[in-house]
């Protein structure tokens, strides 16, 4: 699926189904709105999937994996070889997200869109666009063509999930250095100083953090990414994993597949997707608010409410996975709970 085809296929999530799902919640024999964000999430799933009868299984976490040339600037604790190691662990079912997903009844699908390793990693879906990005202090991270190709790889993964019968998606990422690229992207899209949207990632020292902010600020100054053109911003200071996630969200919207975000990095990609095609927003659910400084900022920009506030910042799709059991419980109430009419009790009324 080309990016243009995906964008043309997107229709707004059904407002009629939103209203019907809201009415169903209001009929459930419990205080109005008492499950909070979880009620809104079930409503969003109904509207996005096109069915009042909410179904949450089968489901899968798609993890986009890619390496970032900016790592050479000393913005991380570890080298980029760790990306392929963790992706391999995912393929074997041994990473954090896999262990959590096993408990949550979800599949994990790691996808190589730009890891620097030359050899294919067994069990990792190969959608490689390039062997990592360039150091954006030296040249743009990607060409625009590479960026679009990565986005199309993401959109194709969404279509593949739909064709395989999945009804709910989660999203994650793996790429050493991608808190740097996502913070750079958010600095551009939110028009905010890099220091305000940049955190310590996987545990930088103060000196390392200061270097990270300096690299992002200098990269934006040199590359001049456009806040009005997310594809330009992605290509100049983003990453292949970010671009693939952006395309994945566009693809999910195009084929009516509700998708759960993880933390900061997936949020940055989602913001790019919504800026490209605003109707994508109706297909997104927030799982948690990341402990990274811009975690709450990006959700505010997307207009999404997280169900979980647990100080998480692990990545890999772990936050999205953590939301699945909560959605299961909310869906059980939504579909199985008696109505006020069933138990012959006057319904609660909305008070103005």
């Amino acid at each position: 699926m080309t990016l243009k085809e995906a964008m043309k296929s997107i229709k707004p999530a059904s407002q009629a189904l939103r209203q019907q799902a809201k009415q169903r919640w209001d009929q459930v024999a419990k205080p109005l709105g008492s499950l909070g964000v979880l009620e809104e999430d079930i409503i969003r799933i109904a509207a996005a999937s096109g069915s009042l009868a909410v179904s949450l299984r089968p489901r899968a976490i798609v993890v986009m994996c890619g390496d970032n040339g900016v790592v050479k600037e000393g913005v991380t604790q570890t080298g980029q070889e760790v990306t392929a190691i963790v992706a391999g662990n995912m393929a074997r079912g041994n990473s954090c997200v896999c262990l959590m997903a096993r408990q949550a009844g979800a599949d994990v699908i790691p996808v190589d869109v730009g890891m620097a390793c030359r050899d294919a990693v067994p069990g990792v879906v190969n959608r490689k666009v390039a062997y990592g990005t360039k150091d954006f202090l030296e040249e743009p991270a990607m060409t625009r063509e590479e960026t679009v190709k990565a986005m199309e790889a993401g959109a194709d993964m969404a279509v593949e999930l739909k064709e395989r019968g999945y009804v709910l998606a989660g999203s994650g990422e793996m790429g050493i250095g991608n808190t740097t690229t996502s913070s750079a992207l958010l600095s551009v899209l939110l028009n905010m100083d890099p220091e305000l949207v940049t955190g310590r990632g996987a545990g930088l020292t103060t000196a390392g953090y200061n270097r990270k902010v300096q690299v992002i600020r200098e990269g934006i100054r040199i590359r001049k990414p456009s806040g009005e053109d997310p594809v330009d911003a992605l290509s100049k200071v983003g990453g292949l994993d970010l671009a693939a996630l952006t395309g994945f969200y566009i693809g999910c919207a195009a084929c009516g597949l509700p998708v759960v975000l993880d933390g900061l990095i997936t949020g940055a990609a989602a913001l790019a997707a919504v800026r490209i095609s605003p109707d994508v927003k109706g297909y997104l659910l927030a799982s948690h608010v990341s402990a990274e400084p811009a975690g709450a900022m990006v959700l505010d920009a997307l207009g999404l409410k997280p169900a979980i506030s647990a100080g998480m910042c692990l990545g890999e799709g772990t936050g999205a996975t953590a939301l699945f059991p909560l959605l299961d419980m909310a869906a059980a109430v939504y579909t199985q709970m008696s109505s006020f009419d069933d138990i012959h009790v006057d319904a609660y009324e909305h008070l103005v």
Side-chain angles (χ1 to χ4, degrees):
M1 177 182 289
T2 68
L3 186 59
K4 288 182 179 179
E5 288 171 343
M7 291 172 61
K8 287 181 180 178
S9 299
I10 296 173
K11 297 178 181 178
S14 172
Q15 290 302 311
L17 281 170
R18 281 191 62 87
Q19 186 60 34
Q20 291 173 42
K22 175 67 167 59
Q23 289 171 352
R24 166 58 191 163
W25 273 123
D26 289 350
Q27 293 165 2
V28 171
K30 65 171 189 58
L32 295 171
S34 53
L35 286 180
V37 174
L38 294 177
E39 292 191 25
E40 174 60 22
D41 284 346
I42 296 299
I43 292 170
R44 294 182 75 85
I45 290 171
S49 64
S51 174
L52 194 61
V54 169
S55 176
L56 303 179
R57 295 176 188 239
R59 56 203 184 199
I61 305 286
V62 174
V63 184
M64 299 298 184
C65 307
D67 279 305
N68 300 283
V70 74
V71 165
K72 70 183 289 187
E73 298 297 335
V75 294
T76 64
Q77 273 196 358
T78 58
Q80 63 181 16
E81 69 278 359
V82 174
T83 302
I85 292 172
V86 175
N89 282 339
M90 286 181 191
R92 292 187 292 274
N94 294 330
S95 75
C96 291
V97 68
C98 295
L99 297 173
M100 293 174 67
R102 201 167 297 141
Q103 298 298 314
D107 297 327
V108 176
I109 304 173
V111 182
D112 175 8
V113 288
M115 294 195 297
C117 57
R118 292 285 164 177
D119 296 329
V121 179
V124 177
V125 177
N126 186 0
R127 296 289 187 272
K128 194 188 292 285
V129 173
Y131 294 95
T133 61
K134 304 297 192 299
D135 177 358
F136 63 60
L137 285 193
E138 297 179 350
E139 55 186 303
M142 300 169 280
T143 65
R144 192 176 181 97
E145 291 73 21
E146 287 173 330
T147 306
V148 171
K149 189 174 180 181
M151 293 172 71
E152 291 176 342
D156 284 342
M157 284 306 304
V159 173
E160 182 176 325
L161 285 194
K162 186 75 171 183
E163 291 176 344
R164 290 169 60 182
Y166 288 101
V167 296
L168 179 64
S171 55
E173 40 60 42
M174 180 60 218
I176 299 302
N178 62 8
T179 60
T180 298
T181 54
S182 56
S183 294
L185 180 63
L186 285 174
S187 178
V188 174
L189 295 182
L190 297 176
N191 192 26
M192 297 185 72
D193 186 271
E195 188 170 4
L196 298 176
V197 295
T198 304
R200 293 175 183 262
L204 287 174
T205 63
T206 298
Y209 166 74
N210 290 337
R211 173 61 179 162
K212 184 177 179 179
V213 172
Q214 178 189 17
V215 166
I216 293 171
R217 183 175 287 122
E218 186 67 3
I220 291 172
R221 184 190 69 79
I222 296 170
R223 302 274 79 88
K224 295 180 174 56
S226 170
E228 303 302 315
D229 181 356
V231 178
D232 179 74
L234 281 163
S235 69
K236 289 178 177 174
V237 296
L240 290 157
D241 52 350
L242 283 170
L245 282 168
T246 301
F248 183 63
Y249 300 133
I250 291 171
C252 284
C255 58
L257 185 65
V259 56
V260 181
L261 308 183
D262 187 20
L264 176 78
I265 297 161
T266 59
L271 184 59
V274 170
R275 293 284 178 87
I276 292 168
S277 184
D279 285 332
V280 169
K281 177 182 172 180
Y283 296 83
L284 307 177
L285 291 85
S287 59
H288 73 112
V289 56
S290 170
E292 285 281 307
M297 296 179 198
V298 69
L299 293 183
D300 286 344
L302 287 165
L304 298 177
K305 297 178 183 177
I308 302 169
S309 180
M312 297 173 66
C313 55
L314 176 58
E316 295 185 19
T318 51
T321 308
L323 181 64
F324 285 165
L326 294 177
L327 292 176
D328 286 339
M329 289 182 270
V333 176
Y334 172 82
T335 58
Q336 302 172 29
M337 184 77 176
S338 300
S339 69
F340 287 107
D341 287 343
D342 292 334
I343 62 173
H344 307 293
V345 171
D346 290 339
Y348 285 96
E349 296 180 6
H350 289 280
L351 301 178
V352 179

